[in-house]
Amino acid sequence: NQAMDDLTQVWRTAWGDFFQQGGAQLSTSGFFRPVPTLMNGLTVAVFGKSPLAFHLGNLLLHLGTCLLGLALLCRLGWSTIGATAAMLLFTVHPMQAESLAYISCRPELCAGLAAVLSLWCYDRYRRDAWTPGLPWAMVAYLVALLSKEVAIGTIGVVAWLELTQYDDRRWSAPLTMGAAILVYGVLRLVCLDTQATGRFALTEQPFVALNLLGVYLQQLCLPLSPRALYEHLSLTGFQLTTVWGLVL
């Protein structure tokens, strides 16, 4: 990606379509992910186009998520042994191999770390009355959204925390964090001039969603290959993976 050679171009590229960087015009995805692009540009600026630097960067992002996840589970009442066992399983599970091995999977790593940081800050705000926790949680949540769109699910975890972890309910706090979604939406509308073309017809999308859930469930319980395997599967009809998706 020649756009990574100059930081000025990196900044300009980061706020465009994630799959149209560097003039490659690979596809029109409509994906808005400036954070991993900026991190890639900074990596090249400091270390050059070094595979080792990118791999170590990915590894540090992943290990940071795991350590922060361990701290969060302990705060939520898990025993030290239980939390450590859970995070060790998450850390070394074969499903993580793709995110660590591919530069193009850095959005997952950035979003994961920022989302867990957001939850940790939020829990400190609620459990320890740490006032800065709420704005920091919102900032971290925005960073997660600007890393990968799926991070929007973090707000659902915050709602679950309110329902299960605290003596009182403060629904205004998740709504305040929801302001990050509004900021993300405005940035996306202002900066992004492409729309997702869509790989599947509307009638096929329910099957695709269920089949992908089924593939991920299979990889979680019986990891046999990288999860990019779904790129080579037919996902548009009812099949065994559809059943696994329904079960999940």
Side-chain angles (χ1 to χ4, degrees):
N1 187 349
Q2 300 304 314
M4 296 296 103
D5 294 339
D6 176 74
L7 283 179
T8 302
Q9 192 174 359
V10 167
W11 178 260
R12 186 168 56 251
T13 301
W15 302 96
D17 192 301
F18 186 68
F19 281 99
Q20 288 189 315
Q21 294 181 12
Q25 304 294 318
L26 296 177
S27 64
T28 303
S29 64
F31 292 156
F32 185 56
R33 301 170 182 175
V35 169
T37 302
L38 293 172
M39 185 170 290
N40 289 343
L42 288 173
T43 302
V44 172
V46 176
F47 301 103
K49 293 181 179 179
S50 164
L52 178 61
F54 275 98
H55 192 68
L56 287 177
N58 281 6
L59 186 61
L60 289 174
L61 286 169
H62 178 54
L63 292 178
T65 304
C66 296
L67 291 174
L68 200 56
L70 175 62
L72 179 62
L73 289 180
C74 289
R75 290 186 61 83
L76 296 180
W78 287 49
S79 68
T80 302
I81 294 177
T84 302
M87 292 315 302
L88 280 176
L89 177 61
F90 176 81
T91 303
V92 302
H93 194 283
M95 278 187 72
Q96 305 296 350
E98 184 188 22
S99 294
L100 290 174
Y102 287 84
I103 295 173
S104 58
C105 286
R106 185 162 277 189
E108 282 87 343
L109 298 168
C110 294
L113 179 59
V116 177
L117 176 60
S118 177
L119 294 171
W120 183 83
C121 290
Y122 187 81
D123 187 69
R124 282 206 60 190
Y125 160 72
R126 289 292 277 115
R127 203 180 300 273
D128 302 338
W130 184 49
T131 305
L134 183 59
W136 277 115
M138 191 172 79
V139 170
Y141 185 40
L142 179 60
V143 171
L145 289 170
L146 292 173
S147 299
K148 190 167 185 178
E149 299 80 358
V150 71
I152 196 171
T154 308
I155 201 74
V157 183
V158 171
W160 173 81
L161 290 175
E162 283 293 341
L163 285 170
T164 61
Q165 295 294 315
Y166 312 124
D167 294 333
D168 59 330
R169 304 285 181 268
R170 297 184 189 173
W171 296 114
S172 59
L175 290 175
T176 303
M177 277 187 66
I181 301 177
L182 180 61
V183 175
Y184 165 79
V186 170
L187 285 172
R188 183 175 181 137
L189 286 172
V190 170
C191 298
L192 201 61
D193 58 359
T194 59
Q195 300 294 325
T197 55
R199 291 174 54 192
F200 304 101
L202 185 63
T203 54
E204 295 173 333
Q205 289 179 13
F207 288 108
V208 173
L210 289 171
N211 285 332
L212 283 179
L213 284 174
V215 170
Y216 289 141
L217 179 61
Q218 177 188 1
Q219 291 298 102
L220 182 65
C221 301
L222 187 64
L224 299 175
S225 58
R227 56 192 174 97
L229 173 70
Y230 71 75
E231 293 285 356
H232 311 289
L233 295 177
S234 172
L235 298 170
T236 56
F238 190 89
Q239 51 191 291
L240 184 58
T241 51
T242 316
V243 178
W244 292 340
L246 286 168
V247 170
L248 182 60

